[in-house]
Amino acid sequence: MSEADCSQGLDGFEALLQAKANELVSVLDSGDINSGLNIINELQQVKHLAFYNEVGYLTRGLHEAIKSFSDDAKVHTEPGNGKADSIHGMADASQRLSYVIELTEKTSHDTMDRVDKSLALVDKLDQQSGRFVDLLSLVGQLESEFEGLHGVYDRTNQLSKESEMAVKDLRHELTEILVSQSYQDITGQLIRRVITLVTQVEGSLVQLMDMAAKVERISGLNAGQSQVETKEKAKKDPIEAEGPQLAGKNNPGVAADQDDVDDLLSSLGF
Amino acid sequence: MGDIVLKKDIKILVVDDFSTMRRIIKNLLRDLGFTNVVEADDGKTAMPILQQGEVQFLVTDWNMPGMTGIDLVRAVRADPKMAGMPILMVTAEAKREQIIAAAQAGVNGYVIKPFTAAVLKGKIDKIFDRIGS
């Protein structure tokens, strides 16, 4: 059933209700109680049917939405075999998120492997510059003996110092690349929370689909039959681990940076 | 001079469930001259290592499956043999209540993620300065 069909159905019910109400008034005015009761019964049945169709529409919509979600991921859901105990699309979403964590972890380690190799090369450059200084002092000693070497020592010495500075800067930049890999931890913690949420939503949807399947099996609806389970949310521990806070949330109860942490702790005498 | 050699030689335990973060902290410690570093991925796996009695400095995350960092800090402080061990908490947990609770549980330093190399090194230096004095 398409969305248009359904809304037409609802509009149709409203139009019918209007027409029947007028008819009811006129038959009651003429004293025909029997016809009046028939009209009320008829309306009651049409209302049940409209409600039943709505529930059916929602149920099918739910199935379709979950199926198309799985199709996006190129995973095909098995044809419905009655009772569902897991939803492929949802399980797949969790798997994809887990894969993001796995992939970023691997890539971070690859990056750090290269940083380690680069740092080893920097160490080598440091050693070479030590040997270079030794050779250079030899040039310094020879300089006085050869007119053509005049000034070479000073200029080479200057170059060597610049090169040492560049190596120092390089070491600093490599360390920063290393530390920036901490994004993997931060994003990983955030993604884990989403995985937990998806798993909870999946559980609720499975229950909902189960309920919908029962609705489809029976032909009528008894008012008050459905019972919604409400779980009293346990009182939240104020210091329970929450993972990374979202940037820009601007919550006064949350430290925005290391300075906030330091200020808070020193204000309390720690 | 003898003091410095002793200091750099100490055994350090780094506890974090993300291998990336353990590696970053381990490398920064190496930059500072600390090369005797062991790792654990949560409080549960950290405890047996700590109970061997060789670890002299603990760096721990908070949010970990199994046993969290705050529970690990409390367990360490409750053990008379380890009650005086310096502890640095390195975590993304940034709520005021959490920071205060960690201080009350007895951490010697609190660094929030993401951090810079300078901040982490600064906090570690500070902890060792306090112990030295």
Side-chain angles (χ1 to χ4, degrees):
Chain A
M1 185 188 275
S2 76
E3 208 167 324
D5 281 339
C6 177
S7 61
Q8 211 173 30
L10 277 178
D11 288 345
F13 177 66
E14 273 183 43
L16 185 75
L17 188 59
Q18 293 266 347
K20 290 286 175 185
N22 290 335
E23 205 184 322
L24 182 61
V25 172
S26 70
V27 293
L28 286 180
D29 280 348
S30 68
D32 187 354
I33 303 290
N34 222 7
S35 296
L37 286 173
N38 279 340
I39 290 169
I40 291 171
N41 272 338
E42 207 180 316
L43 277 174
Q44 194 78 351
Q45 277 175 13
V46 172
K47 191 192 91 175
H48 271 154
L49 193 66
F51 189 30
Y52 172 74
N53 282 343
E54 277 300 288
V55 173
Y57 166 72
L58 283 174
T59 308
R60 274 185 288 277
L62 185 65
H63 277 289
E64 286 302 313
I66 291 165
K67 223 177 86 189
S68 73
F69 185 77
S70 305
D71 286 346
D72 283 348
K74 300 213 185 334
V75 173
H76 294 283
T77 44
E78 298 291 321
N81 54 351
K83 199 179 174 197
D85 49 12
S86 78
I87 300 167
H88 287 236
M90 302 292 276
D92 190 57
S94 293
Q95 271 171 18
R96 273 184 280 173
L97 289 172
S98 295
Y99 181 61
V100 172
I101 298 179
E102 205 182 296
L103 197 67
T104 53
E105 185 182 7
K106 189 185 167 294
T107 314
S108 286
H109 277 293
D110 284 349
T111 306
M112 289 193 283
D113 285 345
R114 282 163 196 272
V115 168
D116 279 347
K117 277 181 196 159
S118 304
L119 282 169
L121 289 174
V122 169
D123 283 344
K124 208 170 165 188
L125 283 175
D126 264 346
Q127 287 162 14
Q128 284 171 349
S129 99
R131 277 162 55 202
F132 186 72
V133 170
D134 290 345
L135 284 172
L136 193 59
S137 68
L138 199 64
V139 174
Q141 282 162 19
L142 293 172
E143 204 182 40
S144 53
E145 295 171 31
F146 297 95
E147 188 62 28
L149 280 178
H150 186 71
V152 169
Y153 174 81
D154 282 346
R155 275 183 287 153
T156 317
N157 209 13
Q158 180 60 30
L159 192 64
S160 163
K161 279 192 179 120
E162 279 169 23
S163 166
E164 274 172 31
M165 285 301 290
V167 168
K168 204 179 152 215
D169 288 348
L170 185 58
R171 195 185 287 279
H172 174 77
E173 294 302 326
L174 286 170
T175 303
E176 292 301 319
I177 292 173
L178 180 88
V179 173
S180 69
Q181 299 310 305
S182 64
Y183 85 90
Q184 199 272 324
D185 175 339
I186 308 287
T187 54
Q189 289 191 54
L190 289 168
I191 291 169
R192 273 188 194 166
R193 286 182 71 81
V194 178
I195 292 173
T196 307
L197 181 72
V198 168
T199 309
Q200 284 168 353
V201 170
E202 184 189 13
S204 306
L205 276 181
V206 166
Q207 278 185 353
L208 193 63
M209 285 174 72
D210 210 32
M211 213 164 77
K214 280 178 194 153
V215 169
E216 279 189 328
R217 277 203 300 274
I218 56 174
S219 54
L221 278 171
N222 297 326
Q225 188 191 8
S226 71
Q227 282 179 337
V228 181
E229 258 183 60
T230 48
K231 279 182 196 156
E232 197 65 37
K233 216 180 171 186
K235 207 180 168 206
K236 200 174 176 281
D237 179 1
I239 64 160
E240 189 193 332
E242 289 185 0
Q245 297 286 337
L246 292 181
K249 228 173 106 191
N250 212 10
N251 183 340
V254 170
D257 54 24
Q258 186 65 41
D259 287 341
D260 279 0
V261 176
D262 293 346
D263 290 349
L264 173 62
L265 289 177
S266 68
S267 75
L268 294 166
F270 288 110
Chain B
M1 198 65 188
D3 265 346
I4 291 161
V5 173
L6 183 75
K7 192 176 106 175
K8 297 289 181 191
D9 204 33
I10 63 165
K11 191 172 204 166
I12 301 174
L13 175 63
V14 175
V15 190
D16 199 305
D17 52 332
F18 279 84
S19 65
T20 325
M21 187 50 71
R22 292 200 300 272
R23 187 167 172 184
I24 291 167
I25 294 172
K26 209 173 156 181
N27 281 25
L28 290 174
L29 285 167
R30 193 189 57 201
D31 277 359
L32 290 172
F34 299 101
T35 50
N36 191 2
V37 179
V38 285
E39 301 175 29
D41 59 8
D42 81 330
K44 255 188 197 147
T45 51
M47 277 314 277
I49 299 171
L50 288 166
Q51 275 155 356
Q52 287 168 8
E54 288 166 16
V55 174
Q56 289 179 271
F57 178 37
L58 172 64
V59 180
T60 183
D61 181 25
W62 181 318
N63 187 13
M64 295 178 288
M67 184 182 183
T68 64
I70 191 78
D71 288 341
L72 178 64
V73 172
R74 286 173 182 149
V76 167
R77 289 292 178 247
D79 186 326
K81 274 178 282 174
M82 297 188 278
M85 180 188 300
I87 303 175
L88 178 64
M89 189 160 251
V90 180
T91 174
E93 305 302 326
K95 275 164 59 184
R96 288 174 58 90
E97 294 104 302
Q98 292 172 320
I99 299 163
I100 294 165
Q104 284 166 345
V107 300
N108 303 78
Y110 196 100
V111 173
I112 53 167
K113 298 173 183 173
F115 53 82
T116 64
V119 164
L120 189 77
K121 288 175 175 177
K123 295 292 167 206
I124 291 171
D125 281 343
K126 211 166 158 190
I127 286 173
F128 283 107
D129 284 352
R130 274 191 207 155
I131 293 163
S133 64

